[in-house]
């Protein structure tokens, strides 16, 4: 089953988007909390939401657990793989899609690095102010998943795209 499963995932993300060699998988066996380690079956590197949906559909059908991963810098074990599961690394989903200065809003993909947001908005006297010691390595998706990065003045609005193509919005842009 494992070869068939990996072959199907390879068609979703191509050969460069699938890591399955034991040597490379060691990088993903833990996050910043290195006391606990679990070797994943594979790591997938999707570059868009359609690929993430396709990966989740295959995992759901095959009953393979998965864990989403941002930069892997967290200290809580949030990106720790599940035994006999896969890691979906969101690092390639790193685009800033929209900057709306009038509403103090930025639309990003989950792999955007915190400091990149500040770099984009700084010319207009804005900045993104999470924990400054980790801005250069932490991703927005990891901040959201782990409720990290400091106190947010506004509650973020998230669009969630489910594996069956349904979309759901959670949160609000109001303080």
């Amino acid at each position: 089953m494992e070869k068939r499963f990996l072959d199907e995932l390879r068609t979703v993300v191509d050969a460069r988007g699938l890591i399955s060699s034991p040597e490379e998988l060691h990088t993903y066996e833990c996050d910043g909390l290195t006391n606990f380690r679990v070797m994943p079956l594979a790591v997938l590197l999707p570059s868009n939401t359609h690929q993430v949906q396709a990966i989740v559909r295959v995992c759901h059908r095959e009953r393979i657990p998965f864990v989403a991963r941002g930069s892997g810098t967290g200290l809580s074990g949030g990106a720790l793989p599940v035994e006999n599961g896969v890691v979906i690394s969101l690092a390639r989903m790193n685009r800033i899609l929209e900057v709306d200065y009038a509403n103090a809003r930025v639309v990003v993909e989950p792999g955007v690095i915190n400091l990149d947001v500040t770099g984009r908005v700084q010319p207009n006297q804005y900045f993104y102010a999470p924990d400054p010691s980790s801005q250069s390595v932490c991703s927005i998706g990891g901040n959201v998943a782990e409720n990290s990065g400091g106190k947010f003045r506004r509650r973020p609005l998230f669009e969630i795209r489910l594996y069956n193509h349904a979309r759901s919005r959670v949160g609000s842009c109001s303080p």
Side-chain angles (χ1 to χ4, degrees):
M1 193 282 289
E2 189 174 315
K3 181 182 177 344
R4 182 182 56 81
F5 174 70
L6 293 178
D7 286 345
E8 185 172 0
L9 291 174
R10 192 173 288 109
T11 65
V12 173
V13 293
D14 74 43
R16 293 179 357 141
L18 174 71
I19 297 171
S20 59
S21 72
E23 299 81 19
E24 293 176 292
L25 290 175
H26 280 292
T27 302
Y28 297 90
E29 68 185 355
C30 64
D31 59 7
L33 180 66
T34 58
N35 296 9
F36 304 100
R37 297 172 185 270
V38 176
M39 185 76 77
L41 289 176
V43 175
L44 298 143
L45 299 155
S47 56
N48 59 59
T49 57
H50 298 294
Q51 289 179 342
V52 173
Q53 288 173 315
I55 293 164
V56 171
R57 270 194 300 276
V58 172
C59 288
H60 176 74
R61 186 190 71 225
E62 300 296 331
R63 298 188 173 280
I64 302 291
F66 64 88
V67 172
R69 178 185 170 112
S71 296
T73 58
L75 299 172
S76 68
L80 185 67
V82 177
E83 191 170 340
N84 297 314
V86 299
V87 170
I88 302 173
S89 170
L90 302 171
R92 289 187 180 173
M93 295 178 65
N94 58 5
R95 295 178 304 148
I96 296 174
L97 303 173
E98 178 187 347
V99 177
D100 178 1
Y101 292 107
N103 293 299
R105 183 175 74 104
V106 179
V107 178
V108 300
E109 292 179 329
V112 170
I113 300 300
N114 295 353
L115 194 57
D116 292 344
V117 174
T118 295
R120 176 66 77 82
V121 300
Q122 196 169 32
N124 287 54
Q125 309 304 309
Y126 284 85
F127 67 96
Y128 178 58
D131 177 7
S133 67
S134 59
Q135 275 202 61
S136 63
V137 293
C138 292
S139 66
I140 299 294
N143 286 169
V144 171
E146 291 293 305
N147 194 27
S148 62
K151 183 177 180 183
F152 293 97
R153 182 166 178 253
R154 294 176 175 240
R155 288 188 352 222
L157 172 67
F158 304 102
E159 179 176 277
I160 300 168
R161 296 184 185 193
L162 304 174
Y163 72 94
N164 64 359
H165 300 288
R167 292 182 182 189
S168 179
R169 289 185 173 228
V170 178
S172 74
C173 288
S174 61

